[in-house]
mmCIF file of all heavy atoms in Angstrom:
data_model
loop_
_atom_site.group_PDB
_atom_site.id
_atom_site.type_symbol
_atom_site.label_atom_id
_atom_site.label_comp_id
_atom_site.label_asym_id
_atom_site.label_seq_id
_atom_site.Cartn_x
_atom_site.Cartn_y
_atom_site.Cartn_z
ATOM 1 N N ASP A 956 -76.261 -5.493 16.608
ATOM 2 C CA ASP A 956 -75.994 -6.726 15.861
ATOM 3 C C ASP A 956 -76.611 -6.687 14.468
ATOM 4 O O ASP A 956 -76.059 -7.246 13.521
ATOM 5 C CB ASP A 956 -76.539 -7.939 16.630
ATOM 6 C CG ASP A 956 -75.689 -8.278 17.851
ATOM 7 O OD1 ASP A 956 -74.532 -7.794 17.924
ATOM 8 O OD2 ASP A 956 -76.172 -9.022 18.717
ATOM 9 N N LEU A 959 -74.368 -5.556 11.627
ATOM 10 C CA LEU A 959 -73.168 -6.340 11.364
ATOM 11 C C LEU A 959 -73.525 -7.633 10.638
ATOM 12 O O LEU A 959 -74.658 -8.108 10.717
ATOM 13 C CB LEU A 959 -72.450 -6.660 12.673
ATOM 14 C CG LEU A 959 -72.007 -5.451 13.500
ATOM 15 C CD1 LEU A 959 -71.595 -5.889 14.899
ATOM 16 C CD2 LEU A 959 -70.860 -4.715 12.808
ATOM 17 N N PRO A 992 -59.382 -13.241 10.249
ATOM 18 C CA PRO A 992 -58.782 -12.266 11.171
ATOM 19 C C PRO A 992 -57.808 -12.964 12.104
ATOM 20 O O PRO A 992 -57.906 -14.174 12.348
ATOM 21 C CB PRO A 992 -59.990 -11.720 11.943
ATOM 22 C CG PRO A 992 -61.184 -12.086 11.132
ATOM 23 C CD PRO A 992 -60.835 -13.350 10.415
ATOM 24 N N GLN A 1004 -63.589 -3.274 23.636
ATOM 25 C CA GLN A 1004 -62.382 -3.891 23.076
ATOM 26 C C GLN A 1004 -61.369 -2.833 22.653
ATOM 27 O O GLN A 1004 -60.163 -3.035 22.776
ATOM 28 C CB GLN A 1004 -62.757 -4.784 21.880
ATOM 29 C CG GLN A 1004 -63.495 -6.048 22.280
ATOM 30 C CD GLN A 1004 -64.037 -6.798 21.080
ATOM 31 O OE1 GLN A 1004 -64.492 -6.199 20.099
ATOM 32 N NE2 GLN A 1004 -63.992 -8.120 21.140
ATOM 33 N N CYS A 1013 -50.504 1.056 24.991
ATOM 34 C CA CYS A 1013 -49.894 2.161 25.744
ATOM 35 C C CYS A 1013 -49.011 1.631 26.876
ATOM 36 O O CYS A 1013 -47.978 2.223 27.200
ATOM 37 C CB CYS A 1013 -50.976 3.088 26.304
ATOM 38 S SG CYS A 1013 -51.753 4.138 25.044
ATOM 39 N N GLY A 1019 -49.492 4.508 19.604
ATOM 40 C CA GLY A 1019 -49.843 4.733 18.208
ATOM 41 C C GLY A 1019 -50.314 3.501 17.477
ATOM 42 O O GLY A 1019 -50.858 3.608 16.364
ATOM 43 N N TYR A 1059 -49.454 2.856 8.002
ATOM 44 C CA TYR A 1059 -48.527 2.098 7.154
ATOM 45 C C TYR A 1059 -47.612 1.194 7.973
ATOM 46 O O TYR A 1059 -47.041 0.252 7.459
ATOM 47 C CB TYR A 1059 -47.686 3.059 6.300
ATOM 48 C CG TYR A 1059 -46.887 4.049 7.100
ATOM 49 C CD1 TYR A 1059 -45.612 3.726 7.567
ATOM 50 C CD2 TYR A 1059 -47.422 5.299 7.404
ATOM 51 C CE1 TYR A 1059 -44.896 4.634 8.326
ATOM 52 C CE2 TYR A 1059 -46.697 6.204 8.162
ATOM 53 C CZ TYR A 1059 -45.434 5.865 8.621
ATOM 54 O OH TYR A 1059 -44.725 6.760 9.379
ATOM 55 N N ASN A 1110 -69.943 -30.074 -31.054
ATOM 56 C CA ASN A 1110 -71.394 -29.964 -30.852
ATOM 57 C C ASN A 1110 -71.774 -29.137 -29.627
ATOM 58 O O ASN A 1110 -72.949 -28.988 -29.318
ATOM 59 C CB ASN A 1110 -72.007 -31.363 -30.750
ATOM 60 C CG ASN A 1110 -71.370 -32.196 -29.639
ATOM 61 O OD1 ASN A 1110 -70.685 -31.678 -28.764
ATOM 62 N ND2 ASN A 1110 -71.578 -33.508 -29.693
#
Side-chain angles (χ1 to χ4, degrees):
D956 287 343
L959 301 167
Q1004 289 171 323
C1013 286
Y1059 58 87
N1110 57 16

